[in-house]
Amino acid sequence: MVDYVKLKEEDEPPSYEQEADPPQQVYPPVQGQPGQGYVHQQYPQPQVVVVQQGYQGFPPSQGFPPQTHTTLAWIACLCFFWPVGLVAVVKAHEAEQCVGRGDYEGGKRSGEAANKWAIAAIITQLVLGVVVGIIYFTIGFFGL
């Protein structure tokens, strides 16, 4: 094992003193050159214009744009009965197009239709699942 000895003040290495930088040679100004000062040039200050914008493309008097039910339509198409869900997706796309061109009443009608078709796809899948489950249980239980 190694013994560690505590250093005493006299055992410390000598400190180094900083030396001053060597003097720099200064050159005299060159004849024919402009003076050491310069003329401060005034530049025009830029003008700042603040423009407040509202919701792009939608008049504030009509409130928020109508719901298009796109997410529900895609969920109904991908997770439930897809033939009916596909109709919901088409209606939701029509609603998006109507809202995009400014026809908010048409967008509202197509969005409501998309919602109805999506709910129909969900209900159809649930009913078909119950019917198929009953048939499978009946055939499996009675061994037909």
Side-chain angles (χ1 to χ4, degrees):
M1 236 169 114
V2 179
D3 287 333
Y4 293 99
V5 179
K6 190 174 184 181
L7 293 175
K8 298 179 184 175
E9 288 185 22
E10 60 240 14
D11 293 340
E12 291 182 10
S15 62
Y16 296 99
E17 295 179 17
Q18 284 190 341
E19 297 178 14
D21 290 333
Q24 301 291 326
Q25 183 177 3
V26 179
Y27 296 104
V30 179
Q31 295 292 333
Q33 295 290 329
Q36 294 183 1
Y38 69 94
V39 178
H40 181 68
Q41 296 179 354
Q42 297 263 337
Y43 294 104
Q45 296 294 325
Q47 294 181 352
V48 178
V49 178
V50 178
V51 178
Q52 293 181 339
Q53 296 179 347
Y55 189 95
Q56 291 284 335
F58 196 76
S61 62
Q62 294 187 10
F64 292 104
Q67 290 185 350
T68 58
H69 301 285
T70 305
T71 306
L72 180 63
W74 277 105
I75 290 173
C77 183
L78 296 175
C79 299
F80 294 96
F81 194 63
W82 70 266
V84 179
L86 190 60
V87 176
V89 169
V90 170
K91 290 293 184 181
H93 181 67
E94 287 177 11
E96 291 283 340
Q97 286 181 335
C98 288
V99 169
R101 68 175 173 257
D103 180 17
Y104 303 113
E105 287 301 317
K108 184 177 179 182
R109 283 192 307 272
S110 295
E112 290 172 354
N115 189 29
K116 290 176 185 176
W117 281 103
I119 291 172
I122 294 169
I123 292 172
T124 303
Q125 182 66 43
L126 293 176
V127 169
L128 284 176
V130 169
V131 168
V132 168
I134 290 172
I135 291 172
Y136 182 76
F137 177 73
T138 305
I139 291 174
F141 185 72
F142 292 116
L144 298 174

